[in-house]
C-alpha cells in the first residue's frame, strides 16, 4: 500500500507495471482507476493475471521479456498519444540496472516511477560523487529522476525468497 500510495494515482492515469508475478500489488493499482499495462515474462503468471483481473476493463497484459517489449510498447503509445504516466515494478535483480539505463538512455522517462530493486542497485542509483558506488549509472538515474528511498524489504517479503535485500526507490 505504501508503494502504491507513492505513485500518487488518479483515475485515468496510465501505469506500466514490470514483473507483477501473481498480482499482489496489481489489484491495488487497478482499484485506483488507473489504466494498467503489466509486463510479465512468465506465461503461467500472465495467464493467471488475465484470469484474476478479467473483470477490469482498465487492464492489459503484455507477455514477454520487458527488456524487449517495453521500448516497442512505448513507441506505439507515443504514436497513439497514450504515453504512460507512471512506472511500477519489482524489477528482476538480474536486469534492473540494465532495464533502467536502457529506458533512460532512450528518452523513456516517467513522471513518477516506484521501483523495488536489489539494495546495491538502489545505492548506486542514489550515490553521490566521490563515493565508491558513484558511477555513470548514478549520473544517468539522477539526471532523469529525483530519487528517494521509500523503504527497505528483506527476503521474507518475496516468494521465492531472494538471497539479497531489496529497496524501494
Amino acid at each position: 500500500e505504501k508503494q502504491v500510495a507513492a505513485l500518487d494515482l488518479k483515475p485515468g492515469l496510465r501505469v506500466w507495471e514490470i514483473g507483477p508475478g501473481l498480482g499482489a500489488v496489481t489489484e491495488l493499482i487497478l482499484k485506483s482507476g488507473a489504466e494498467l499495462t503489466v509486463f510479465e515474462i512468465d506465461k503461467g503468471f500472465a495467464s493467471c493475471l488475465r484470469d484474476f483481473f478479467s473483470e477490469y476493463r482498465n487492464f492489459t497484459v503484455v507477455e514477454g521479456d520487458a527488456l524487449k517489449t517495453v521500448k516497442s510498447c512505448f513507441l506505439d503509445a507515443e504514436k497513439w498519444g497514450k504515453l504512460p504516466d507512471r512506472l511500477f515494478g519489482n524489477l528482476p535483480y538480474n536486469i534492473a540496472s540494465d532495464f533502467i539505463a536502457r529506458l533512460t538512455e532512450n528518452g523513456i522517462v516517467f513522471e513518477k516511477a516506484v521501483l523495488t530493486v536489489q539494495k546495491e542497485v538502489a545505492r548506486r542509483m542514489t550515490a553521490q560523487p566521490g563515493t565508491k558506488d558513484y558511477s555513470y549509472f548514478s549520473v544517468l538515474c539522477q539526471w532523469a529522476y529525483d530519487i528517494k528511498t521509500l523503504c527497505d524489504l528483506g527476503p521474507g517479503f518475496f516468494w521465492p525468497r531472494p538471497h539479497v535485500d531489496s529497496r524501494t526507490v
Side-chain angles (χ1 to χ4, degrees):
E1 290 173 347
K2 185 176 182 178
Q3 292 173 336
V4 172
L7 285 169
D8 191 28
L9 297 175
K10 296 170 183 61
L13 283 178
R14 289 173 296 280
V15 180
W16 283 2
E17 181 181 6
I18 309 301
L22 291 173
V25 178
T26 304
E27 188 164 25
L28 294 174
I29 296 171
L30 287 169
K31 285 181 177 179
S32 76
E35 295 176 27
L36 179 63
T37 299
V38 299
F39 294 81
E40 179 55 58
I41 195 168
D42 185 284
K43 291 179 187 287
F45 284 174
S47 177
C48 288
L49 290 165
R50 283 188 190 93
D51 289 344
F52 295 163
F53 304 114
S54 61
E55 76 272 13
Y56 288 96
R57 296 204 182 283
N58 55 332
F59 182 64
T60 304
V61 176
V62 177
E63 264 187 67
D65 183 342
L67 280 172
K68 296 175 183 170
T69 56
V70 166
K71 186 176 179 183
S72 62
C73 288
F74 189 86
L75 294 173
D76 286 346
E78 192 172 41
K79 185 168 90 177
W80 299 110
K82 294 185 174 189
L83 293 171
D85 303 293
R86 308 282 195 269
L87 176 66
F88 180 83
N90 176 23
L91 298 182
Y93 298 142
N94 59 328
I95 70 155
S97 57
D98 189 31
F99 180 79
I100 294 164
R102 279 193 200 183
L103 289 180
T104 307
E105 288 168 345
N106 283 285
I108 302 172
V109 177
F110 299 84
E111 187 179 302
K112 216 174 242 201
V114 176
L115 304 173
T116 300
V117 295
Q118 185 173 344
K119 201 173 203 177
E120 288 76 15
V121 172
R123 271 191 261 188
R124 288 183 24 236
M125 292 173 78
T126 58
Q128 295 303 304
T131 63
K132 70 176 180 126
D133 291 325
Y134 192 69
S135 66
Y136 165 77
F137 183 65
S138 311
V139 173
L140 185 65
C141 291
Q142 293 171 37
W143 167 79
Y145 296 101
D146 177 21
I147 304 168
K148 296 175 177 75
T149 297
L150 185 62
C151 61
D152 287 337
L153 302 166
F157 282 87
F158 303 95
W159 182 88
R161 290 174 67 107
H163 298 290
V164 296
D165 289 330
S166 302
R167 178 169 284 167
T168 302
V169 293

